[in-house]
Amino acid sequence: GVLGNLQQMGLITENQAVDIESICLGVRIVSLKNHTLAADIVNLLAEDLRAKHNILPISKSGNMITVATGSITKTQPVFNEVQKTLNSFVTLVLIYPSELQEKLAEFSKSQASIDEMLEGKAKELSISQEAFDKKMIEDPNGPVAKVINHLLVQAVTNGASDIHFEPLPQSLRIRYREDGVLREAKTFDKVFAP
């Protein structure tokens, strides 16, 4: 668009483009510098969707979700997809791009730590395979339950209609069906396979 062209020519900065959109479209600008966002709100949208469209759910009130974006004009084409994914009414607000990138990175790191936890639980199971008995499987606070709970929450968050647990010769692959397409979510060592 016009603002993007002005930015590329060096006539305005990213922040000035946000200021212009705010004035022209009557959309407020929010600052999240001193705010801690709730992970359950942010994770209403899958990380890949947040990163792809540079958007971030920041609050929820009833059936209304506020989503921050660095550009209304860039987000508008995917607005219906976002609203459908969230299954709620969506209000867009503006945020300066550098601040948005910081928050997106913050929640990307939390996903990495979840993946580390899952890998740790997989190693814990492979080390103690001899002890892998009925009690461990049935323990509601055990590593198996934690991994399954995380996979279920992630599937619901992503809007998956199916979860496929696929035993392979050397691993266990987990895939989610999202919008009719199977997407790989995670692969574990064979220890998780039946």
Side-chain angles (χ1 to χ4, degrees), residues 3 7 10-22 96:
L3 293 177
Q7 281 179 260
L11 300 173
I12 62 171
T13 65
E14 285 183 324
N15 288 357
Q16 288 171 326
V18 170
D19 291 336
I20 292 168
E21 276 197 23
S22 174
Y96 293 118

Side-chain angles (χ1 to χ4, degrees), residues 20-39:
I20 292 168
E21 276 197 23
S22 174
I23 292 167
C24 292
L25 301 175
V27 177
R28 70 185 170 102
I29 299 172
V30 297
S31 176
L32 302 173
K33 285 184 181 174
N34 299 318
H35 290 76
T36 302
L37 296 176

Side-chain angles (χ1 to χ4, degrees), residues 20 102 112 174 190:
I20 292 168
E102 284 176 26
I174 288 81
K190 183 70 174 169

Side-chain angles (χ1 to χ4, degrees), residues 33-67:
K33 285 184 181 174
N34 299 318
H35 290 76
T36 302
L37 296 176
D40 60 327
I41 300 295
V42 172
N43 290 326
L44 290 170
L45 275 181
E47 183 179 352
D48 60 336
L49 194 62
R50 295 190 310 257
K52 179 180 176 184
H53 300 302
N54 282 313
I55 54 178
L56 188 68
I58 59 171
S59 67
K60 181 176 182 176
S61 177
N63 198 30
M64 179 68 68
I65 298 175
T66 302
V67 174

Side-chain angles (χ1 to χ4, degrees), residues 159-179:
S161 62
D162 303 46
I163 304 173
H164 292 247
F165 293 85
E166 303 168 335
L168 302 172
Q170 297 301 317
S171 62
L172 174 69
R173 178 172 59 188
I174 288 81
R175 297 194 295 170
Y176 301 145
R177 185 177 307 280
E178 300 170 19
D179 299 323

Side-chain angles (χ1 to χ4, degrees), residues 115-172:
D115 285 345
E116 287 172 15
M117 182 271 300
L118 290 175
E119 292 300 325
K121 295 298 178 191
K123 285 180 183 159
E124 183 180 318
L125 287 174
S126 64
I127 289 167
S128 62
Q129 189 154 5
E130 317 79 52
F132 189 82
D133 59 8
K134 191 174 181 180
K135 287 180 185 176
M136 183 179 266
I137 293 170
E138 293 175 351
D139 180 1
N141 297 313
V144 173
K146 288 181 181 178
V147 169
I148 297 298
N149 285 339
H150 172 74
L151 292 170
L152 291 171
V153 167
Q154 187 176 8
V156 170
T157 300
N158 290 1
S161 62
D162 303 46
I163 304 173
H164 292 247
F165 293 85
E166 303 168 335
L168 302 172
Q170 297 301 317
S171 62
L172 174 69

